[in-house]
């Protein structure tokens, strides 16, 4: 296969498996985000792909070649880490040209490549600036250009945007994705920010406790989460319980829900329904009734919190669909069966 394969890779530190039998196939040109809570093994997996850690077992294959034992500098990688490690005493141009200079590229070739990369990162004319004089976002772009100077096969980034403020981070996510698409380079980014992953990735890999919980395109992860861990981690969701009644019908809070059924043999299963799919209606007109406990009006969206039994269900509406309700009011809550995802665990 052209691209990257992580074949049944485990990394143990003592007896603890930080990465546990991970299997991942990344076609050439794919943008992958490794996503998951702190300590789930994202960085360890990236470091093994980079050659900075050796797997305890398994193999890493790039374009058909087993690179598990190949040292980092021979893997043809570009890397950007959270601490950018730009050379503070060098200019922007000299930072970007660093790897070319080490490989004794001619001055003319270095300048041509630096100019090309500066255009790509929207910093034309910045070659002679000291890096110390750049803003955070500009520094980030220089680090990216420096990593791409040798046209690597694989681009690896570990939390590259986490030091930036929220607005700049969002803008850089779009820039990074556009740059990757322009170059067609296979890219793997570690992040714990699900919004970042949804913005950039072709393939989101959700990890938990060293294992891949789900690997799929962002919208599939959002719409068809594999289990409650993934559903809860990606976006916000209402996690409820679907239960069989004495006749085997699927119910939520004791109310039958048309169009839903429990997986084979099970009498209960978790169910995920996204807040934007939940509608507040008049009492008796929804799937279940409840009491409004709070309305959060954020201008662009309105969140209504409804207490049903021991659960709070959140419904999100736009100002046009705004339910005219306030705290303390009895309401109906519609949970459309087509938007409810019955989970395995
Ligand atoms: P974060 O988002 O916090 O960076 P992560 O998902 O990237 O987390 P890793 O850094 O891969 O997680 O760490 C996974 C687990 O392996 C953690 O429990 C960590 O403490 C452990 N670990 C990582 N490196 C080592 C090491 N060199 N020696 C021992 N344990 C390690």
């Amino acid at each position: 296969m052209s691209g990257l394969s992580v074949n049944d890779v485990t990394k143990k530190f003592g007896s603890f498996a930080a990465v546990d039998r991970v299997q991942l196939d990344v076609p050439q040109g794919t943008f992958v985000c490794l996503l998951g809570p702190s300590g789930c093994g994202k960085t360890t997996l990236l470091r093994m792909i980079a050659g900075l850690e050796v797997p305890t077992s398994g193999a890493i294959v790039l374009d058909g070649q087993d690179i598990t034992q190949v040292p980092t500098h021979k893997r043809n990688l570009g890397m950007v880490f959270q601490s950018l490690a730009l050379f503070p005493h060098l200019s922007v141009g000299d930072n970007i040209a660093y790897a070319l200079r080490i490989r004794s590229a001619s001055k003319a070739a270095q300048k041509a490549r630096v100019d090309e990369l500066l255009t790509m990162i929207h910093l034309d004319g910045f070659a002679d600036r000291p890096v110390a004089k750049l803003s955070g976002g500009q520094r980030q772009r220089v680090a990216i250009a420096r990593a791409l100077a040798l046209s690597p096969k694989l681009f690896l980034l570990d939390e590259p945007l986490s030091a930036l403020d929220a607005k700049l981070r969002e803008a850089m996510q779009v820039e990074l994705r556009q740059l990757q698409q322009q170059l067609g380079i296979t890219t793997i980014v570690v992040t714990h920010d699900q919004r970042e992953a949804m913005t950039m990735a072709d393939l989101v890999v959700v990890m938990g406790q060293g294992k891949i919980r789900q690997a799929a395109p962002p919208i599939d992860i959002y719409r068809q989460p594999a289990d409650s861990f993934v559903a809860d981690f990606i976006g916000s969701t209402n996690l409820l319980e679907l239960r069989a009644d004495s006749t085997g019908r699927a119910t939520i809070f004791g109310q039958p829900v048309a169009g839903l059924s429990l997986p084979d043999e099970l009498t209960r299963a978790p169910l995920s329904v996204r807040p934007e799919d939940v509608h507040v209606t008049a009492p008796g007109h929804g799937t279940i009734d409840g009491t409004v406990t709070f309305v959060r009006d954020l201008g662009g969206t309105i969140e209504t919190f409804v207490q049903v039994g021991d659960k709070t269900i959140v419904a999100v509406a736009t100002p046009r669909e705004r339910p005219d309700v306030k705290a303390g009011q009895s309401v109906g809550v519609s949970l459309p069966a087509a938007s409810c995802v019955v989970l395995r665990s």
Side-chain angles (χ1 to χ4, degrees):
M1 185 187 95
S2 167
L4 176 77
S5 289
V6 175
N7 288 335
D8 201 14
V9 163
T10 293
K11 177 68 188 181
K12 287 191 173 171
F13 295 109
S15 60
F16 170 72
V19 170
D20 195 2
R21 305 204 62 176
V22 160
Q23 180 67 44
L24 181 65
D25 293 307
V26 180
Q28 203 280 323
T30 306
F31 196 128
V32 178
C33 281
L34 300 180
L35 184 65
S38 186
C40 71
K42 309 179 291 290
T43 297
T44 304
L45 178 57
L46 192 82
R47 286 173 60 82
M48 287 191 283
I49 296 168
L52 300 169
E53 296 281 1
V54 181
T56 309
S57 60
I60 294 170
V61 177
L62 183 60
D63 289 345
Q65 188 203 346
D66 186 333
I67 58 165
T68 318
Q69 304 299 333
V70 174
T72 301
H73 66 278
K74 294 201 172 144
R75 291 190 182 198
N76 197 2
L77 311 169
M79 287 190 276
V80 176
F81 291 107
Q82 196 175 338
S83 57
L84 299 176
L86 289 174
F87 304 113
H89 54 288
L90 296 184
S91 66
V92 167
D94 286 345
N95 262 282
I96 296 176
Y98 187 75
L100 295 159
R101 210 164 48 246
I102 288 187
R103 279 172 172 68
S104 310
S106 70
K107 283 259 181 259
Q110 286 181 39
K111 182 173 181 328
R113 183 69 178 141
V114 167
D115 287 347
E116 187 182 13
L117 286 159
L118 284 175
T119 301
M120 244 185 253
I121 59 166
H122 312 299
L123 287 179
D124 285 292
F126 274 64
D128 296 328
R129 298 254 184 125
V131 289
K133 296 259 160 69
L134 300 180
S135 71
Q138 289 169 338
R139 258 181 238 198
Q140 201 68 35
R141 293 198 206 118
V142 173
I144 288 169
R146 188 178 62 169
L148 293 173
L150 294 176
S151 305
K153 270 192 196 172
L154 196 56
F155 192 23
L156 306 177
L157 304 95
D158 191 355
E159 305 263 4
L161 309 179
S162 59
L164 306 177
D165 69 53
K167 266 213 162 132
L168 186 55
R169 194 162 67 224
E170 297 233 328
M172 286 296 298
Q173 290 162 4
V174 174
E175 269 193 39
L176 186 55
R177 172 56 165 168
Q178 287 171 333
L179 181 64
Q180 182 271 340
Q181 281 180 318
Q182 194 183 330
L183 297 173
I185 185 170
T186 312
T187 299
I188 304 182
V189 178
V190 165
T191 178
H192 58 260
D193 178 344
Q194 51 98 13
R195 202 177 143 86
E196 185 162 301
M198 298 287 287
T199 305
M200 302 192 298
D202 296 302
L203 185 69
V204 173
V205 176
V206 182
M207 294 183 66
Q209 295 180 324
K211 291 188 188 301
I212 292 184
R213 307 294 289 252
Q214 190 171 9
I219 198 66
D220 292 359
I221 297 257
Y222 188 80
R223 283 278 149 216
Q224 293 296 326
D227 55 28
S228 30
F229 175 87
V230 175
D232 207 24
F233 196 75
I234 305 289
S236 40
T237 198
N238 294 291
L239 281 176
L240 307 174
E241 191 178 58
L242 197 65
R243 281 195 197 191
D245 68 8
S246 54
T247 64
R249 282 184 311 178
T251 63
I252 298 175
F253 297 105
Q255 298 299 314
V257 212
L260 287 184
S261 54
L262 280 141
D264 295 343
E265 317 275 313
L266 292 181
T267 56
R268 53 180 66 189
L271 173 134
S272 161
V273 55
R274 299 288 180 191
E276 65 271 23
D277 294 322
V278 177
H279 306 291
V280 174
T281 174
H285 284 73
T287 316
I288 36 178
D289 285 341
T291 307
V292 175
T293 55
F294 193 74
V295 177
R296 194 205 310 261
D297 190 341
L298 297 169
T301 53
I302 293 123
E303 299 172 4
T304 309
F305 295 72
V306 183
Q307 184 83 32
V308 182
D310 60 352
K311 279 265 174 192
T312 299
I313 297 181
V314 184
V316 170
T318 63
R320 268 190 298 140
E321 317 159 326
R322 182 185 230 292
D324 189 17
V325 295
K326 45 183 182 296
Q329 197 171 327
S330 295
V331 291
V333 177
S334 282
L335 305 168
S339 310
C340 293
V341 183
V342 182
L343 303 167
R344 276 187 274 118
S345 56

